[in-house]
PDB file of all heavy atoms in Angstrom:
ATOM      1  N   GLY A 295       1.165   3.379   2.315  1.00  0.00           N
ATOM      2  CA  GLY A 295      -0.114   3.996   2.601  1.00  0.00           C
ATOM      3  C   GLY A 295      -1.143   3.793   1.514  1.00  0.00           C
ATOM      4  O   GLY A 295      -2.228   4.350   1.604  1.00  0.00           O
ATOM      5  N   SER A 296      -0.861   2.946   0.483  1.00  0.00           N
ATOM      6  CA  SER A 296      -1.812   2.955  -0.622  1.00  0.00           C
ATOM      7  C   SER A 296      -3.088   2.230  -0.330  1.00  0.00           C
ATOM      8  O   SER A 296      -4.243   2.659  -0.705  1.00  0.00           O
ATOM      9  CB  SER A 296      -1.127   2.473  -1.898  1.00  0.00           C
ATOM     10  OG  SER A 296      -0.954   1.095  -1.909  1.00  0.00           O
ATOM     11  N   ASN A 297      -3.043   1.050   0.314  1.00  0.00           N
ATOM     12  CA  ASN A 297      -4.293   0.344   0.504  1.00  0.00           C
ATOM     13  C   ASN A 297      -5.087   1.055   1.567  1.00  0.00           C
ATOM     14  O   ASN A 297      -6.314   1.191   1.388  1.00  0.00           O
ATOM     15  CB  ASN A 297      -4.016  -1.161   0.941  1.00  0.00           C
ATOM     16  CG  ASN A 297      -3.785  -1.346   2.422  1.00  0.00           C
ATOM     17  OD1 ASN A 297      -4.697  -1.400   3.144  1.00  0.00           O
ATOM     18  ND2 ASN A 297      -2.539  -1.385   2.838  1.00  0.00           N
ATOM     19  N   LEU A 298      -4.388   1.539   2.589  1.00  0.00           N
ATOM     20  CA  LEU A 298      -5.126   2.253   3.612  1.00  0.00           C
ATOM     21  C   LEU A 298      -5.734   3.555   3.088  1.00  0.00           C
ATOM     22  O   LEU A 298      -6.970   3.822   3.211  1.00  0.00           O
ATOM     23  CB  LEU A 298      -4.160   2.605   4.760  1.00  0.00           C
ATOM     24  CG  LEU A 298      -4.739   3.509   5.949  1.00  0.00           C
ATOM     25  CD1 LEU A 298      -5.887   2.614   6.647  1.00  0.00           C
ATOM     26  CD2 LEU A 298      -3.693   3.935   6.847  1.00  0.00           C
ATOM     27  N   GLY A 299      -4.999   4.269   2.267  1.00  0.00           N
ATOM     28  CA  GLY A 299      -5.450   5.511   1.644  1.00  0.00           C
ATOM     29  C   GLY A 299      -6.640   5.220   0.746  1.00  0.00           C
ATOM     30  O   GLY A 299      -7.681   5.918   0.735  1.00  0.00           O
ATOM     31  N   GLY A 300      -6.620   4.037   0.024  1.00  0.00           N
ATOM     32  CA  GLY A 300      -7.721   3.621  -0.810  1.00  0.00           C
ATOM     33  C   GLY A 300      -8.929   3.277  -0.061  1.00  0.00           C
ATOM     34  O   GLY A 300     -10.054   3.702  -0.344  1.00  0.00           O
ATOM     35  N   LEU A 301      -8.711   2.498   0.997  1.00  0.00           N
ATOM     36  CA  LEU A 301      -9.868   1.972   1.808  1.00  0.00           C
ATOM     37  C   LEU A 301     -10.630   3.157   2.478  1.00  0.00           C
ATOM     38  O   LEU A 301     -11.779   3.135   2.512  1.00  0.00           O
ATOM     39  CB  LEU A 301      -9.306   0.952   2.761  1.00  0.00           C
ATOM     40  CG  LEU A 301     -10.369   0.428   3.834  1.00  0.00           C
ATOM     41  CD1 LEU A 301     -11.400  -0.429   3.143  1.00  0.00           C
ATOM     42  CD2 LEU A 301      -9.644  -0.292   5.001  1.00  0.00           C
ATOM     43  N   ILE A 302      -9.856   4.048   3.007  1.00  0.00           N
ATOM     44  CA  ILE A 302     -10.498   5.058   3.791  1.00  0.00           C
ATOM     45  C   ILE A 302     -10.980   6.200   3.011  1.00  0.00           C
ATOM     46  O   ILE A 302     -11.764   7.016   3.497  1.00  0.00           O
ATOM     47  CB  ILE A 302      -9.580   5.607   4.912  1.00  0.00           C
ATOM     48  CG1 ILE A 302      -8.352   6.396   4.326  1.00  0.00           C
ATOM     49  CG2 ILE A 302      -9.088   4.485   5.870  1.00  0.00           C
ATOM     50  CD1 ILE A 302      -7.465   7.150   5.417  1.00  0.00           C
ATOM     51  N   SER A 303     -10.585   6.298   1.732  1.00  0.00           N
ATOM     52  CA  SER A 303     -10.771   7.639   1.054  1.00  0.00           C
ATOM     53  C   SER A 303     -12.293   8.132   0.993  1.00  0.00           C
ATOM     54  O   SER A 303     -12.495   9.279   1.474  1.00  0.00           O
ATOM     55  CB  SER A 303     -10.176   7.637  -0.354  1.00  0.00           C
ATOM     56  OG  SER A 303     -10.760   6.684  -1.110  1.00  0.00           O
ATOM     57  N   PRO A 304     -13.251   7.240   0.630  1.00  0.00           N
ATOM     58  CA  PRO A 304     -14.625   7.843   0.657  1.00  0.00           C
ATOM     59  C   PRO A 304     -15.104   8.163   2.047  1.00  0.00           C
ATOM     60  O   PRO A 304     -15.895   9.090   2.212  1.00  0.00           O
ATOM     61  CB  PRO A 304     -15.469   6.821  -0.046  1.00  0.00           C
ATOM     62  CG  PRO A 304     -14.682   5.457  -0.049  1.00  0.00           C
ATOM     63  CD  PRO A 304     -13.219   5.927   0.194  1.00  0.00           C
ATOM     64  N   PHE A 305     -14.602   7.415   3.043  1.00  0.00           N
ATOM     65  CA  PHE A 305     -15.068   7.661   4.413  1.00  0.00           C
ATOM     66  C   PHE A 305     -14.378   8.926   4.937  1.00  0.00           C
ATOM     67  O   PHE A 305     -15.040   9.751   5.616  1.00  0.00           O
ATOM     68  CB  PHE A 305     -14.686   6.439   5.323  1.00  0.00           C
ATOM     69  CG  PHE A 305     -15.240   5.118   4.919  1.00  0.00           C
ATOM     70  CD1 PHE A 305     -14.610   4.317   4.122  1.00  0.00           C
ATOM     71  CD2 PHE A 305     -16.574   4.827   5.220  1.00  0.00           C
ATOM     72  CE1 PHE A 305     -15.145   3.025   3.703  1.00  0.00           C
ATOM     73  CE2 PHE A 305     -17.170   3.681   4.808  1.00  0.00           C
ATOM     74  CZ  PHE A 305     -16.407   2.707   4.091  1.00  0.00           C
ATOM     75  N   MET A 306     -13.103   9.076   4.616  1.00  0.00           N
ATOM     76  CA  MET A 306     -12.357  10.334   4.921  1.00  0.00           C
ATOM     77  C   MET A 306     -13.021  11.425   4.323  1.00  0.00           C
ATOM     78  O   MET A 306     -13.069  12.599   4.894  1.00  0.00           O
ATOM     79  CB  MET A 306     -10.928  10.121   4.539  1.00  0.00           C
ATOM     80  CG  MET A 306     -10.009  11.296   4.995  1.00  0.00           C
ATOM     81  SD  MET A 306     -10.039  11.616   6.794  1.00  0.00           S
ATOM     82  CE  MET A 306      -8.716  10.560   7.393  1.00  0.00           C
ATOM     83  N   GLY A 307     -13.502  11.301   3.100  1.00  0.00           N
ATOM     84  CA  GLY A 307     -14.097  12.416   2.364  1.00  0.00           C
ATOM     85  C   GLY A 307     -15.318  12.865   3.188  1.00  0.00           C
ATOM     86  O   GLY A 307     -15.548  14.114   3.311  1.00  0.00           O
ATOM     87  N   GLU A 308     -16.184  11.927   3.638  1.00  0.00           N
ATOM     88  CA  GLU A 308     -17.323  12.302   4.460  1.00  0.00           C
ATOM     89  C   GLU A 308     -16.939  13.048   5.731  1.00  0.00           C
ATOM     90  O   GLU A 308     -17.550  14.008   6.150  1.00  0.00           O
ATOM     91  CB  GLU A 308     -18.087  11.029   4.861  1.00  0.00           C
ATOM     92  CG  GLU A 308     -18.793  10.416   3.636  1.00  0.00           C
ATOM     93  CD  GLU A 308     -19.865   9.352   4.133  1.00  0.00           C
ATOM     94  OE1 GLU A 308     -19.599   8.767   5.153  1.00  0.00           O
ATOM     95  OE2 GLU A 308     -20.839   9.092   3.408  1.00  0.00           O
ATOM     96  N   LYS A 309     -15.760  12.606   6.297  1.00  0.00           N
ATOM     97  CA  LYS A 309     -15.301  13.224   7.520  1.00  0.00           C
ATOM     98  C   LYS A 309     -14.774  14.568   7.210  1.00  0.00           C
ATOM     99  O   LYS A 309     -15.124  15.521   7.995  1.00  0.00           O
ATOM    100  CB  LYS A 309     -14.148  12.290   8.014  1.00  0.00           C
ATOM    101  CG  LYS A 309     -13.647  12.605   9.419  1.00  0.00           C
ATOM    102  CD  LYS A 309     -12.805  11.460  10.010  1.00  0.00           C
ATOM    103  CE  LYS A 309     -12.148  11.975  11.207  1.00  0.00           C
ATOM    104  NZ  LYS A 309     -11.664  10.835  12.101  1.00  0.00           N
ATOM    105  N   LEU A 310     -14.060  14.798   6.135  1.00  0.00           N
ATOM    106  CA  LEU A 310     -13.542  16.103   5.745  1.00  0.00           C
ATOM    107  C   LEU A 310     -14.681  17.079   5.423  1.00  0.00           C
ATOM    108  O   LEU A 310     -14.562  18.251   5.764  1.00  0.00           O
ATOM    109  CB  LEU A 310     -12.610  15.972   4.544  1.00  0.00           C
ATOM    110  CG  LEU A 310     -11.229  15.364   4.774  1.00  0.00           C
ATOM    111  CD1 LEU A 310     -10.622  14.857   3.484  1.00  0.00           C
ATOM    112  CD2 LEU A 310     -10.324  16.251   5.587  1.00  0.00           C
ATOM    113  N   ARG A 311     -15.754  16.515   4.860  1.00  0.00           N
ATOM    114  CA  ARG A 311     -16.892  17.391   4.535  1.00  0.00           C
ATOM    115  C   ARG A 311     -17.875  17.642   5.708  1.00  0.00           C
ATOM    116  O   ARG A 311     -18.858  18.204   5.527  1.00  0.00           O
ATOM    117  CB  ARG A 311     -17.652  16.832   3.284  1.00  0.00           C
ATOM    118  CG  ARG A 311     -16.756  16.804   1.999  1.00  0.00           C
ATOM    119  CD  ARG A 311     -17.589  16.439   0.760  1.00  0.00           C
ATOM    120  NE  ARG A 311     -18.272  15.157   0.941  1.00  0.00           N
ATOM    121  CZ  ARG A 311     -17.787  13.980   0.584  1.00  0.00           C
ATOM    122  NH1 ARG A 311     -16.609  13.884   0.009  1.00  0.00           N
ATOM    123  NH2 ARG A 311     -18.479  12.813   0.708  1.00  0.00           N
ATOM    124  N   GLY A 312     -17.564  16.990   6.810  1.00  0.00           N
ATOM    125  CA  GLY A 312     -18.352  17.108   7.938  1.00  0.00           C
ATOM    126  C   GLY A 312     -19.730  16.350   7.925  1.00  0.00           C
ATOM    127  O   GLY A 312     -20.678  16.652   8.657  1.00  0.00           O
ATOM    128  N   GLU A 313     -19.705  15.269   7.097  1.00  0.00           N
ATOM    129  CA  GLU A 313     -20.959  14.559   6.954  1.00  0.00           C
ATOM    130  C   GLU A 313     -21.060  13.300   7.825  1.00  0.00           C
ATOM    131  O   GLU A 313     -22.210  12.784   8.081  1.00  0.00           O
ATOM    132  CB  GLU A 313     -21.070  14.030   5.428  1.00  0.00           C
ATOM    133  CG  GLU A 313     -21.194  15.202   4.494  1.00  0.00           C
ATOM    134  CD  GLU A 313     -20.898  14.744   3.041  1.00  0.00           C
ATOM    135  OE1 GLU A 313     -20.748  13.555   2.791  1.00  0.00           O
ATOM    136  OE2 GLU A 313     -20.737  15.652   2.190  1.00  0.00           O
ATOM    137  N   ALA A 314     -19.897  12.882   8.313  1.00  0.00           N
ATOM    138  CA  ALA A 314     -19.943  11.627   9.137  1.00  0.00           C
ATOM    139  C   ALA A 314     -18.604  11.600   9.934  1.00  0.00           C
ATOM    140  O   ALA A 314     -17.648  12.390   9.574  1.00  0.00           O
ATOM    141  CB  ALA A 314     -20.088  10.348   8.300  1.00  0.00           C
ATOM    142  N   ASP A 315     -18.534  10.803  10.931  1.00  0.00           N
ATOM    143  CA  ASP A 315     -17.306  10.683  11.558  1.00  0.00           C
ATOM    144  C   ASP A 315     -16.916   9.194  11.767  1.00  0.00           C
ATOM    145  O   ASP A 315     -17.724   8.311  11.895  1.00  0.00           O
ATOM    146  CB  ASP A 315     -17.413  11.269  12.991  1.00  0.00           C
ATOM    147  CG  ASP A 315     -16.054  11.613  13.579  1.00  0.00           C
ATOM    148  OD1 ASP A 315     -14.988  11.569  12.821  1.00  0.00           O
ATOM    149  OD2 ASP A 315     -15.936  11.868  14.838  1.00  0.00           O
TER     150      ASP A 315
END
Side-chain angles (χ1 to χ4, degrees):
S296 75
N297 86 81
L298 177 66
L301 174 68
I302 67 174
S303 61
F305 301 98
M306 183 59 86
E308 288 189 334
K309 192 165 165 158
L310 288 163
R311 296 189 302 269
E313 297 163 8
D315 198 14

